């Protein structure tokens, strides 16, 4: 069975996120091994875990898209919104971890942080809901 374009793109991004997580694991190890208290910066740890979890979450999105009733373009747009926010979150965590500039990005947030978070919530839940609905329509709808 040939994968649709939406599924191919999502799986590729999942692979990218997994590679990114593995690279962050190296950074985490380096920070732990050179730190007096044996720990990596909080946001390096968060970035590492988030990239790992998002890589597997992206695979769930790929399955939902592959077996969806919606057009490839609809699924690709919905998944892309979710994936852009996954990547943006890991970028933010990675930057904070490398810069070691905060232990909590919400204590003194930069302008736009809360707007970004609301957009992330709507985008991730909305995009995933579109994919779940497409899957449900294809798999449980009238034949």
């Amino acid at each position: 069975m040939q994968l649709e374009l939406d599924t191919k793109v999502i799986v590729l991004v999942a692979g990218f996120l997994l590679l990114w997580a593995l690279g962050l694991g190296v950074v985490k190890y380096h920070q732990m091994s050179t730190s007096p208290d044996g720990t990596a910066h909080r946001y390096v740890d968060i970035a590492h875990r988030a990239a790992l979890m998002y890589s597997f979450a992206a695979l769930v999105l790929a399955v939902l898209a592959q077996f969806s009733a919606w057009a490839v373009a609809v699924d690709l747009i919905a998944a892309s919104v979710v994936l852009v926010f996954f990547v943006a979150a890991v970028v933010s965590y990675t930057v904070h971890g490398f810069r070691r500039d905060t232990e909590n990005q919400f204590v003194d947030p930069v302008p736009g942080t809360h707007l970004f978070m609301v957009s992330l919530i709507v985008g991730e839940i909305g995009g995933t809901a579109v994919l779940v609905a497409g899957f449900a329509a294809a798999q449980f709808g009238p034949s």
Side-chain angles (χ1 to χ4, degrees), residues 44-97:
V44 166
D45 188 49
I46 291 170
H48 175 242
R49 287 190 217 171
L52 281 172
M53 288 189 290
Y54 287 152
S55 71
F56 289 95
L59 293 178
V60 173
L61 299 177
V63 172
L64 294 171
Q66 181 65 28
F67 298 105
S68 172
W70 310 150
V72 168
V74 171
D75 290 332
L76 185 57
I77 291 167
S80 293
V81 169
V82 176
L83 295 171
V84 162
F85 282 112
F86 283 1
V87 168
V90 178
V91 165
S92 172
Y93 304 147
T94 301
V95 168
H96 286 303

Side-chain angles (χ1 to χ4, degrees), residues 71-129:
V72 168
V74 171
D75 290 332
L76 185 57
I77 291 167
S80 293
V81 169
V82 176
L83 295 171
V84 162
F85 282 112
F86 283 1
V87 168
V90 178
V91 165
S92 172
Y93 304 147
T94 301
V95 168
H96 286 303
F98 284 5
R99 291 175 57 192
R100 299 174 185 249
D101 62 353
T102 186
E103 289 294 314
N104 184 333
Q105 65 184 347
F106 296 105
V107 170
D108 292 313
V110 298
T113 298
H114 294 291
L115 177 61
F116 174 79
M117 291 305 299
V118 170
S119 300
L120 178 145
I121 291 164
V122 171
E124 286 184 357
I125 293 172
T128 302

